[in-house]
Each structure stands twice: as structure tokens, then as C-alpha cells.
Amino acid sequence: MSTKSYQIRQATLDDRDRLIDFGRTEFTRTFGHLYRPEDLEAYLSEGYDPSLYDKWLTHDQFRLFLADETDTNRIVGYVLCGLCTLPLENCGFDSTYSEGCRELKRLYLHPDHFGSNLSSALLKVSLDWLVAEGFTNKVYLGVYSENPRAIRFYQKHGFEQIGEYGFVVGDQIDREFICHWKGV
């Protein structure tokens, strides 16, 4: 069995279309069976719009890190973190609280690489950036309530559930947990 080597790096605008394709594919692979086709397409069209990625890749309050195979340059995972848009008021916080918070927005890994430690490495590089930016105890994420693998992963890395909200996919609303990172 050959050992693949990977690099994790900050994504650039040149990576945008590959990131969109990868994200759409992995979201659909993981969650597509939960939705009516029109709901899934509505979410994919909005959530993977190129203008969103342009903002995430150029705004200094966001970072998108990707993992790709060094020999093929194929993206096998990515993590996005930045300004928090979670409804933290659902957790008892004042509505202005989230202005000083950051969010782990997306973490995707191709299933061929589950168990490879790449997801932990992607999470670490994003948390390291957030800590360097001064967000040591104001980092949050949303995770689908019926995704036990992801919930265990985030718990293992210091996140704890503090609330929940409705995540909209087309006309469907999913129950998501809001989790807080305990910090360094």
C-alpha cells in the first residue's frame, strides 16, 4: 500500500471553483439523501455561490484552508472559519454578543480519508489561526444533530453543545446543535 502525502495550506481565489465542486459533492454525499431534490438544489445554489467563496477567500476576517494530495493536487478536505452568523441568542446571549465571535463554518473531508487524521489537522490549523487572531474562547460551530460521527469528533476536540437552532435547506429545517470551543 502506498502512502499518500498531503499539504494543508491557505486557499486562494485560484482554488475557488475546485472548492465549490468539492463542497457541493461532499455535502450531497453526506446529507443529500435527507432532502427533496428541489430543497437540496436550492441550498447548493445559495450555499455554494461563487460570490460567497470570493468573499471568504479575500476578506481578512475569514480563512479557508484546504488539504490536497501533493502528487495530484486533488482536494481531499477543507475547513472554513470566520465571522460568526450562528443565532447565539438561542443560547441566552445578547443579540450583539456574536459580533465578537468566530465560527467554524465548514469542515469537509472526502470519506476515503476518514481516520487519516486530516480532519484533526484541518481543525487544528483553523483553531490556531483563530487563537492567533485573539479568539481563544469565543469560537462556535453548528453541527447536524443526527451526525454522531461529527458530534464525537468535535467533542474530542474540545467543543461542547450549548444550544440549538434550525438549519434551513430549501423548505426543510434541520435541528442543529450550537457548540462552543472551550479554548486553549
Side-chain angles (χ1 to χ4, degrees):
M1 175 191 281
S2 67
T3 303
K4 297 236 180 232
S5 61
Y6 306 92
Q7 67 172 347
I8 294 176
R9 62 178 175 82
Q10 185 174 337
T12 68
L13 280 172
D14 291 339
D15 300 309
R16 183 194 73 184
D17 293 340
R18 293 185 319 128
L19 289 162
I20 291 170
D21 290 343
F22 182 81
R24 286 177 63 101
T25 297
E26 294 313 315
F27 184 89
T28 302
R29 181 190 327 265
T30 305
F31 303 111
H33 67 282
L34 299 172
Y35 308 112
R36 298 178 317 168
E38 58 270 24
D39 288 336
L40 178 62
E41 189 50 43
Y43 175 76
L44 294 174
S45 294
E46 183 179 325
Y48 297 88
D49 183 281
S51 65
L52 275 177
Y53 281 79
D54 288 345
K55 178 175 90 171
W56 294 334
L57 290 164
T58 59
H59 193 289
D60 66 351
Q61 296 298 308
F62 293 91
R63 284 296 182 276
L64 208 157
F65 298 98
L66 66 81
D68 57 12
E69 295 175 345
T70 52
D71 58 339
T72 65
N73 205 34
R74 182 176 71 103
I75 294 175
V76 295
Y78 76 77
V79 61
L80 167 66
C81 53
L83 298 172
C84 186
T85 56
L86 291 168
L88 296 179
E89 58 275 9
N90 291 5
C91 305
F93 295 110
D94 179 281
S95 62
T96 61
Y97 176 80
S98 65
E99 293 171 11
C101 299
R102 293 300 179 261
E103 177 183 353
L104 180 67
K105 294 182 166 295
R106 295 182 180 174
L107 183 109
Y108 294 138
L109 188 68
H110 189 281
D112 288 350
H113 301 278
F114 288 175
S116 68
N117 223 22
L118 271 176
S119 55
S120 293
L122 284 165
L123 180 61
K124 182 181 182 328
V125 75
S126 66
L127 292 174
D128 286 350
W129 176 73
L130 289 165
V131 167
E133 292 294 306
F135 298 97
T136 56
N137 65 351
K138 292 180 102 178
V139 177
Y140 298 85
L141 63 80
V143 61
Y144 180 49
S145 63
E146 300 298 319
N147 189 345
R149 180 185 192 107
I151 292 167
R152 282 191 309 273
F153 172 79
Y154 292 125
Q155 287 172 338
K156 174 181 152 189
H157 291 283
F159 286 86
E160 61 186 355
Q161 181 187 342
I162 60 166
E164 56 185 64
Y165 73 107
F167 183 82
V168 178
V169 177
D171 290 332
Q172 183 169 325
I173 299 176
D174 292 333
R175 182 174 171 232
E176 294 256 330
F177 295 144
I178 296 174
C179 299
H180 173 249
W181 184 49
K182 297 176 208 167
V184 291

